[in-house]
Amino acid sequence: MLFDFGQPADGIIQAAFVVADLDSAMTEFSGRLRVGPWTVLRGVGGPEARYRGRPAQARVHIALGFAGHMQYELIQPADEFPSVYREVIEERGYGFHHFGYATTAFDEAVEAMHAQGYETAFSAVAPGGSRVAYFDTRDVLPGMTELIEATEALNADFTAMYKASIG
């Protein structure tokens, strides 16, 4: 069970936004949407990250926070290297970027996206060890889709963030 909410682990768990300034965005999301407290990760990247089939060099600053059962992810590129985040910023500016979809059957979910004609735009191992894969679903949705491997470690981390947000 993801987040100990009593819901199945498979499903949308997150709305993510690319932002120009992480600290300012956290202040706005907290003040306007009551998101928080925030878990902040700076300079996230990794040796296993791949962008459009090639090793990725881009790094980002990330903030994760909850408002109710909804997790918000704020992402600020930390450099000028190509990335799925820079793509969206260059095409239409800052704002909504992707839906985060947790799955207990990660490999099968990736293959299902490939079978639908979507190539993997970005893949990595996230801090904490869960695999992630992004697909550019902007042809049918308002943003990309990120598949997030729902593991026990992810469940524990996200549940702790959620519980910290209550009250």
Side-chain angles (χ1 to χ4, degrees):
M1 303 275 192
L2 195 60
F3 306 137
D4 294 333
F5 292 162
Q7 299 172 349
D10 293 76
I12 295 175
I13 60 167
Q14 176 189 85
F17 301 83
V18 286
V19 300
D21 181 275
L22 191 68
D23 295 310
S24 294
M26 287 188 295
T27 297
E28 289 298 322
F29 273 70
S30 293
R32 295 176 186 276
L33 301 175
R34 302 175 99 173
V35 180
W38 294 97
T39 298
V40 178
L41 306 167
R42 298 206 185 257
V44 175
E48 297 179 46
R50 299 192 65 76
Y51 168 67
R52 303 275 178 204
R54 296 189 151 149
Q57 299 177 50
R59 301 237 178 241
V60 294
H61 304 312
I62 295 173
L64 298 165
F66 278 87
H69 288 138
M70 184 67 174
Q71 183 185 66
Y72 291 85
E73 179 179 28
L74 306 177
I75 304 154
Q76 176 191 337
D79 54 43
E80 297 297 322
F81 289 112
S83 69
V84 289
Y85 312 111
R86 285 263 169 235
E87 276 183 29
V88 170
I89 294 166
E90 290 169 7
E91 288 177 20
R92 65 165 172 73
Y94 297 99
F96 181 75
H97 187 268
H98 69 265
F99 295 103
Y101 188 96
T103 176
T104 55
F106 184 80
D107 293 323
E108 292 86 351
V110 168
E111 287 308 313
M113 292 300 287
H114 291 166
Q116 293 175 46
Y118 294 104
E119 292 299 318
T120 304
F122 175 73
S123 62
V125 176
S130 290
R131 295 176 293 168
V132 300
Y134 285 63
F135 300 89
D136 191 348
T137 52
R138 291 178 291 167
D139 61 328
V140 295
L141 296 171
M144 294 191 182
T145 299
E146 176 191 21
L147 296 178
I148 305 166
E149 184 177 32
T151 64
E152 288 185 28
L154 180 85
N155 183 48
D157 289 345
F158 284 6
T159 297
M161 288 180 212
Y162 165 71
K163 288 181 178 178
S165 74
I166 298 171

Short mmCIF file of all heavy atoms in Angstrom, two decimals, residues 45-46 48-50 106 122-126 130-134:
data_model
loop_
_atom_site.label_atom_id
_atom_site.label_comp_id
_atom_site.label_asym_id
_atom_site.label_seq_id
_atom_site.Cartn_x
_atom_site.Cartn_y
_atom_site.Cartn_z
N GLY A 45 21.06 14.11 -9.67
CA GLY A 45 21.42 13.59 -10.99
C GLY A 45 21.79 12.14 -10.79
O GLY A 45 21.17 11.47 -9.99
N GLY A 46 22.79 11.68 -11.45
CA GLY A 46 23.24 10.33 -11.16
C GLY A 46 23.91 9.65 -12.34
O GLY A 46 23.65 9.99 -13.49
N GLU A 48 23.42 6.73 -13.51
CA GLU A 48 22.55 5.86 -14.31
C GLU A 48 21.49 6.64 -15.08
O GLU A 48 20.70 6.05 -15.80
CB GLU A 48 21.88 4.84 -13.41
CG GLU A 48 22.86 3.90 -12.75
CD GLU A 48 22.18 2.91 -11.83
OE1 GLU A 48 21.16 2.33 -12.24
OE2 GLU A 48 22.65 2.75 -10.70
N ALA A 49 21.47 7.96 -14.96
CA ALA A 49 20.46 8.76 -15.62
C ALA A 49 20.69 8.77 -17.13
O ALA A 49 21.83 8.86 -17.59
CB ALA A 49 20.47 10.19 -15.07
N ARG A 50 19.59 8.67 -17.89
CA ARG A 50 19.65 8.70 -19.35
C ARG A 50 18.59 9.64 -19.88
O ARG A 50 17.45 9.61 -19.42
CB ARG A 50 19.45 7.30 -19.92
CG ARG A 50 20.55 6.34 -19.44
CD ARG A 50 20.58 5.04 -20.18
NE ARG A 50 20.91 5.13 -21.58
CZ ARG A 50 22.13 5.32 -22.09
NH1 ARG A 50 23.15 5.46 -21.28
NH2 ARG A 50 22.33 5.36 -23.39
N PHE A 106 6.89 -2.08 -12.43
CA PHE A 106 7.60 -1.04 -13.18
C PHE A 106 7.98 -1.49 -14.59
O PHE A 106 7.69 -0.80 -15.58
CB PHE A 106 8.85 -0.60 -12.41
CG PHE A 106 9.58 0.53 -13.05
CD1 PHE A 106 9.15 1.84 -12.91
CD2 PHE A 106 10.73 0.28 -13.81
CE1 PHE A 106 9.83 2.89 -13.51
CE2 PHE A 106 11.42 1.33 -14.41
CZ PHE A 106 10.96 2.63 -14.25
N PHE A 122 13.38 9.96 -20.46
CA PHE A 122 14.36 10.08 -19.37
C PHE A 122 14.17 8.90 -18.44
O PHE A 122 13.04 8.47 -18.19
CB PHE A 122 14.14 11.40 -18.60
CG PHE A 122 15.03 11.55 -17.40
CD1 PHE A 122 16.38 11.82 -17.55
CD2 PHE A 122 14.52 11.43 -16.12
CE1 PHE A 122 17.21 11.96 -16.44
CE2 PHE A 122 15.34 11.56 -15.00
CZ PHE A 122 16.68 11.83 -15.16
N SER A 123 15.28 8.39 -17.92
CA SER A 123 15.21 7.34 -16.91
C SER A 123 16.35 7.54 -15.93
O SER A 123 17.39 8.10 -16.28
CB SER A 123 15.28 5.95 -17.54
OG SER A 123 16.51 5.77 -18.21
N ALA A 124 16.11 7.09 -14.71
CA ALA A 124 17.13 7.23 -13.66
C ALA A 124 16.75 6.37 -12.48
O ALA A 124 15.64 5.83 -12.40
CB ALA A 124 17.23 8.70 -13.22
N VAL A 125 17.67 6.28 -11.55
CA VAL A 125 17.39 5.71 -10.24
C VAL A 125 17.31 6.90 -9.30
O VAL A 125 18.27 7.68 -9.17
CB VAL A 125 18.48 4.71 -9.80
CG1 VAL A 125 18.21 4.22 -8.39
CG2 VAL A 125 18.54 3.54 -10.78
N ALA A 126 16.16 7.07 -8.68
CA ALA A 126 15.93 8.22 -7.81
C ALA A 126 16.64 8.03 -6.47
O ALA A 126 16.95 6.89 -6.09
CB ALA A 126 14.43 8.40 -7.58
N SER A 130 14.42 3.86 -6.01
CA SER A 130 13.35 3.53 -6.95
C SER A 130 13.72 3.99 -8.36
O SER A 130 14.30 5.06 -8.54
CB SER A 130 12.04 4.22 -6.55
OG SER A 130 11.52 3.65 -5.38
N ARG A 131 13.34 3.19 -9.33
CA ARG A 131 13.56 3.58 -10.72
C ARG A 131 12.43 4.50 -11.17
O ARG A 131 11.29 4.37 -10.72
CB ARG A 131 13.61 2.35 -11.62
CG ARG A 131 14.79 1.44 -11.33
CD ARG A 131 14.74 0.18 -12.16
NE ARG A 131 13.61 -0.64 -11.76
CZ ARG A 131 13.16 -1.69 -12.43
NH1 ARG A 131 13.74 -2.06 -13.56
NH2 ARG A 131 12.14 -2.39 -11.99
N VAL A 132 12.77 5.42 -12.07
CA VAL A 132 11.78 6.30 -12.68
C VAL A 132 12.00 6.31 -14.19
O VAL A 132 13.13 6.12 -14.65
CB VAL A 132 11.83 7.75 -12.12
CG1 VAL A 132 11.57 7.76 -10.62
CG2 VAL A 132 13.14 8.42 -12.44
N ALA A 133 10.93 6.51 -14.93
CA ALA A 133 11.01 6.65 -16.38
C ALA A 133 9.96 7.66 -16.82
O ALA A 133 8.80 7.58 -16.40
CB ALA A 133 10.77 5.30 -17.07
N TYR A 134 10.38 8.61 -17.65
CA TYR A 134 9.49 9.65 -18.16
C TYR A 134 9.13 9.35 -19.61
O TYR A 134 9.97 8.90 -20.39
CB TYR A 134 10.19 11.00 -18.15
CG TYR A 134 10.34 11.66 -16.82
CD1 TYR A 134 11.09 11.09 -15.80
CD2 TYR A 134 9.77 12.89 -16.58
CE1 TYR A 134 11.26 11.72 -14.59
CE2 TYR A 134 9.93 13.55 -15.36
CZ TYR A 134 10.69 12.95 -14.39
OH TYR A 134 10.86 13.58 -13.18
#
